[in-house]
Amino acid sequence: AQKITQTQPGMFVQEKEAVTLDCTYDTSDQSYGLFWYKQPSSGEMIFLIYQGSYDEQNATEGRYSLNFQKARKSANLVISASQLGDSAMYFCAMRERAGNMLTFGGGTRLMVKP
Amino acid sequence: DAGVTQSPTHLIKTRGQHVTLRCSPISGHKSVSWYQQVLGQGPQFIFQYYEKEERGRGNFPDRFSARQFPNYSSELNVNALLLGDSALYLCASSGSGGHSGNTIYFGEGSWLTVV
């Protein structure tokens, strides 16, 4: 079974509007972490936001927020007030145990329309 | 402060050759991991090193090897290159080997093309 599933291969959003990128995960661990990364065409994987499994509040970082629904095993990324520079691939990833090992989803390509 | 630095940024190799990719983590970070990202897919975990010891290995053949040096920099080596090894190789850095680190930073990657 897929550990990280991103069901939206591509999405369009109008500039200045909000957009939600979906991510569901599968784990039997009680302690895990969820990450979102942005990858522009240059290839660099840019860290956006982190949510720990024991965090009671949804993580927020500027225009990025993570809608964490533990019972549903979902960790959707919300980008508010989209900008043209937000056009990129977005990856959801999970760390299940001690260490750096991340399991990534297949990614969502976001395209912001002017 | 410098982020995660990788070299070279782009390289072209011939099938059967050997390649060495290098990574310097963020200053103070002791953990380095390597990922392979084939075009159109998410990154796949290859290795993790912490305090110069291998802490994890992904499902990659023995042609792939790595090591971490006393200054915490790392090398990824791939022998007997195949066309399928063409990918973006990403290095990740974090402060610790355990769950206490909640941010994992990546470098810009090394684009490897095997012809």
Side-chain angles (χ1 to χ4, degrees):
Chain A
Q2 292 278 345
K3 283 187 175 291
I4 296 286
T5 302
Q6 295 181 252
T7 57
Q8 306 150 314
M11 288 191 69
F12 283 96
V13 64
Q14 199 68 40
E15 191 179 8
K16 299 181 185 178
E17 292 187 350
V19 63
T20 298
L21 307 183
D22 294 341
C23 172
T24 57
Y25 60 92
D26 183 28
T27 181
S28 56
D29 285 358
Q30 297 301 309
S31 179
Y32 53 89
L34 297 158
F35 299 74
W36 277 93
Y37 288 89
K38 172 185 178 182
Q39 188 177 45
S41 57
S42 62
E44 182 182 8
M45 197 71 75
I46 301 168
F47 169 77
L48 295 178
I49 197 166
Y50 168 84
Q51 179 84 41
S53 58
Y54 292 122
D55 295 340
E56 294 186 352
Q57 299 211 344
N58 287 342
T60 60
E61 292 284 351
R63 293 187 299 113
Y64 305 107
S65 60
L66 200 152
N67 184 1
F68 181 46
Q69 299 190 39
K70 196 170 182 177
R72 294 186 176 185
K73 294 188 175 179
S74 75
N76 298 339
L77 177 70
V78 180
I79 305 175
S80 63
S82 297
Q83 301 172 356
L84 295 178
D86 293 336
S87 294
M89 284 292 291
Y90 288 80
F91 289 95
C92 178
M94 176 172 64
R95 180 178 60 196
E96 286 181 279
R97 57 182 181 271
N100 266 12
M101 179 184 168
L102 293 175
T103 302
F104 284 83
T108 295
R109 179 169 297 281
L110 177 67
M111 291 152 282
V112 181
K113 297 185 291 184
Chain B
D1 285 342
V4 181
T5 57
Q6 292 187 242
S7 63
T9 54
H10 294 82
L11 69 166
I12 300 173
K13 291 285 189 177
T14 303
R15 277 178 298 174
Q17 284 189 317
H18 163 91
V19 68
T20 298
L21 307 177
R22 295 176 177 83
C23 172
S24 292
I26 292 170
S27 178
H29 283 191
K30 299 180 179 179
S31 181
V32 169
S33 293
W34 288 95
Y35 291 79
Q36 180 197 66
Q37 187 178 18
V38 173
L39 193 63
Q41 298 180 18
Q44 298 289 318
F45 171 76
I46 310 175
F47 285 110
Q48 188 217 352
Y49 277 79
Y50 178 68
E51 290 277 19
K52 294 163 283 185
E53 291 187 2
E54 183 183 300
R55 288 293 188 91
R57 173 186 286 254
N59 188 24
F60 281 80
D62 291 343
R63 299 184 295 108
F64 288 76
S65 63
R67 54 180 176 168
Q68 188 177 31
F69 299 100
N71 66 354
Y72 303 111
S73 68
S74 177
E75 281 183 355
L76 174 69
N77 296 283
V78 186
N79 293 324
L81 285 167
L82 303 174
L83 295 179
D85 295 331
S86 296
L88 175 65
Y89 289 84
L90 292 161
C91 175
S93 158
S94 78
S96 73
H99 267 276
S100 59
N102 62 6
T103 49
I104 300 174
Y105 296 99
F106 284 82
E108 294 188 359
S110 294
W111 294 90
L112 171 64
T113 302
V114 181
V115 297

